[in-house]
Amino acid sequence: MNPLVYRTNVRYTPLVENATSSLLPTGLPTLDRCLGGGWRKGGLMQLRGTNGSGKTTLALRTAAETTQQRERVALVSRGRYFYPPGLTAQRVVLSYLLWVTPQDSARLFWAAVEVSRSGLFPLVIAHHLHVTEKEARRLQLAAETGGSVVIVLAPAGNHALPWPFYFCGVVERQVHDRLRLQVIRSRTMLTQQTFEVPLYENENLSSPTPDTGRARFAS
Amino acid sequence: MKTRILALRLPTPAARDSLREFATLLLSFSSHVGVRPPDTIYIEISQSFRLFGGEGKIVERLRQFLAARGIVADIAVADDLATAGVLAHLADGSPRIVPSGENEVALRPLPLHALTFLADPFSPLPPPESHAVSQLIQTLHRLGLKTVGDFAKLPASTLSPRFGIRGVLLHRRARGDSFLPIHPFEPVETYRESFSFEPPIGQLEPVLFAAKTLFARLENRLQKKWNAVSEMTLFFETEEGKETEVKIPLLRPLRKEKPLFSVFREKSATLSFSAPLLSLVIELSLPVRDRGGQFHLFDSRVQQGEQLDELLNRLVAGIGPTFISAAALRERYRPEAAWEKIPFEPFASPPLSVGPPIDRPTILVSPPEPLTKIPHAKKTIFRSPRAEYDVVSLKGPERLAGEWWDGRSHARDYFRAETRQGEQLWIFKSLKARTPGYFLHGYFD
């Protein structure tokens, strides 16, 4: 065969980028649709809200989705904060959860960076983490290096949002199993949009009527 | 060939601190070495007669070996371990060699308190057991017995009803016919490398450079023995003559230079010294067998496992082992006791099922925050030291009570409260008279 003809007959098919591989499903179908498939890997997200607003539940639904795919999740917070039976109630598989609970802010930030950069945890949820712009940039670079999604839970308020954050939303509870998410910043043209997110779509996870007898804990 | 056991008792506290190190050295005399903390070493010497030329020569060589190290130990040789051990403990300074078959004769003149040693030749008795043995000895004294020989003369059939199984076993040992095997001693294995700084240095960079070299050497040594280590100890000596010891427990065993060095680097960043450093010694200990993993072309779990080990150990070096864990549920009615910390085992394959959904908050307030119910005609308002909650709905109650058996009895009625601002709270009403009232216990955040 004429090598020239052979060469001209070769077709180079451009690699089709798999759009979903760069996204981490949130565990909430409605939110996935709003975000275009999920949280962006390598991105720094912030969820704001008052205590009891549902921001932690929103993050934990992603943790549930991730751990049920047998992937690891890291929870980084100062002291004991998250309540494991409550996590189980959100369908999080505890065995895939690493708890990192340093006692001071400096070590908390360092641990968040180390875990995010390692590439071993597709999802890192951080609480009590107050970052300057420079620290946010370091954390975002660590997330990018490790391909993790880092979700920082923050109190409600108009405090400044450092520029490295890819997404910021304010969470408010509508009724006990439905949240309202107002997007303050997003790099995917969602800014200033508001979504209603049902927490327990397609699942039999609506809050059960409590027994008046003895309570049993999930094992 | 009949078994012959040599027991030696280390005389001084300094020597006893190095009991395991001495036992390791004595492996050059026999492969069967055992220890009885805090001060006794047993060696089975009958297999070594040909090597050393007989029993007497072994004893002499051993005495010289110890004397070269400044130790004058009490030595006894007998057919069985218990006899040799008790004779070494009651020796008067010169070696005591009991001819074969004469254990009972050697034990006869010993005082009754020697039975305490005979009760357990492998370790000092724990308090309940030692109390029982001393009561037995007191009983024997009251009966007019004075020596081990007097006790050994008692008919065996009369012992069981009076002294039980303990008395029967002691009687056999007092007659010298309980031939206990040595519990083999596992030698202490540590891997140690050191570096001296000339001149002394006051900066971190040269220390890291030196440490890298040491870890490379240590990896080679560990690799030859297929060992990983679970503990790292660092010794820093300063120009002032002060030595600082830093122990780093490793959450997961490590063998390779890179992860060991990264743990060292994290830890050394937290240390400070008052004077330039003269030397650095790195000691790796608590070895475990580790043949490594076969890397697979399409399965990255082995590489991930090594990376995870490195990350976890770096986290431990940076923030301490108690702050890195996983969690597991416990079946307890008291909510704050319903879970526990467990080690993080990332490659176990646990079942994915999480049980039926239970209404529990994602955040627990610990300790529960007392609430004051504000009287109001139309609203339900709770006030805590930090905030006021205007409750629009209360779901429940769910009664959680019990655990009176361990002194932590509780009786609480739990409610899921929704506030006007949309917050979801977990509130309980205490039904105990000592701590009545309402408390905020969590948030459904």
Side-chain angles (χ1 to χ4, degrees), chain B residues 2-5 77-81 83 98-103 179:
Chain B
K2 260 201 131 160
T3 300
R4 297 290 284 168
I5 306 286
V77 181
D79 283 348
D80 88 304
L81 182 150
T83 307
V98 178
S100 194
E102 293 185 20
N103 288 344
F179 293 92

Side-chain angles (χ1 to χ4, degrees), chain A residues 16-28:
Chain A
V16 175
E17 197 172 303
N18 184 354
T20 59
S21 65
S22 60
L23 299 171
L24 185 74
T26 64
L28 297 163

Side-chain angles (χ1 to χ4, degrees), chain A residues 83-85 94 216-219, chain B residues 327-342 403 406 408:
Chain A
Y83 183 48
L94 292 181
R216 304 290 294 173
F217 291 92
S219 58
Chain B
L329 298 182
R330 289 201 297 183
E331 286 220 7
R332 297 285 294 273
Y333 295 114
R334 203 159 46 90
E336 48 269 41
W339 71 283
E340 60 180 348
K341 275 189 182 179
I342 59 171
E403 298 190 8
D406 61 0
R408 288 171 172 263

